[in-house]
Structure formats: C-alpha cells, structure tokens
Amino acid sequence: MLDDTEITLCEPAPAIYFENGRMVVTDRSKLWFVIVTCEAMRATANPPEKSLRRLVRYSEFYRELAADAIRRGEDVDGNVWVRESDVVRARPTHLEAGLHQRVTARL
C-alpha cells in the first residue's frame, strides 16, 4: 500500500488490446499495468463506446482510479483493473468537476 506518492502515466502510450484498454503508470520506483475494461470505457461518457480515442481522452481519469486502487492495495502482481463499477462510482464527481470547468471558462 502506498501513501500519497504521485502516480503518473508513462510509456508506452495507452493502447487497445483485444477488448480492453491498457496503460502503464508509475510512482518512479515501480510500474503497474492498468487494464481498463471495455465496459468501463463505455460507462465513462455518452455515447457508450470503446475506442482508443476515449481511452486517451480519459486517460487521466483512469489513472486517478488506478492510483486510488493501488493506494488501497488492490493491485495484483503489478496489474490494476479499472472496471465499470469504478467508473460509475467516480463519474458523478468527475462530471461535476468538468461542468465546473466549463461554467468557469464561460464567465
């Protein structure tokens, strides 16, 4: 389990492998492979789709979810799963932050 160490995206770039998205994150001492399920990508925004574009566009959101899971000790053998349930639980907060940014930009 980690403390508040910053976990960032690193190379290689996010990619789609079979049905799921793949990304790599690090705390500069260890790497984790993040697997974003196709259901998680579809649950992220409307229209529901699984695509590389969506994976890249929301990579920071998925990174945050993965970092939270790593801090809770939910990684297994260097792998962290981001599932639909993770996205659904976090989405209201994520969407509210996005709405706040759009409203602030208009002011």
Side-chain angles (χ1 to χ4, degrees):
M1 190 143 103
L2 290 176
D3 54 9
D4 285 338
T5 304
E6 186 176 355
I7 295 173
T8 60
L9 288 167
C10 62
E11 295 294 326
I16 299 288
Y17 185 72
F18 290 105
E19 288 294 312
N20 300 319
R22 304 282 175 131
M23 307 180 338
V24 181
V25 297
T26 185
D27 66 355
R28 297 183 194 223
S29 67
K30 183 175 179 181
L31 295 174
W32 289 272
F33 293 95
V34 178
I35 299 102
V36 181
T37 66
C38 62
E39 295 84 6
M41 283 185 274
R42 288 182 181 130
T44 302
N46 281 322
E49 69 177 30
K50 175 205 80 166
S51 67
L52 180 58
R53 186 178 88 167
R54 174 153 300 169
L55 180 65
V56 170
R57 181 174 185 187
Y58 290 95
S59 61
E60 282 297 321
F61 174 59
Y62 300 134
R63 182 206 51 81
E64 288 175 22
L65 296 177
D68 290 343
I70 291 166
R71 290 186 186 105
R72 290 190 303 266
E74 296 175 1
D75 56 310
V76 178
D77 296 327
N79 293 306
V80 181
W81 288 83
V82 174
R83 295 180 172 83
E84 179 180 20
S85 59
D86 302 317
V87 170
V88 169
R89 247 190 327 269
R91 191 175 55 197
T93 303
H94 174 70
L95 293 177
E96 287 169 10
L99 178 61
H100 175 71
Q101 289 171 351
R102 285 193 300 273
V103 169
T104 304
R106 290 181 187 167
L107 297 176

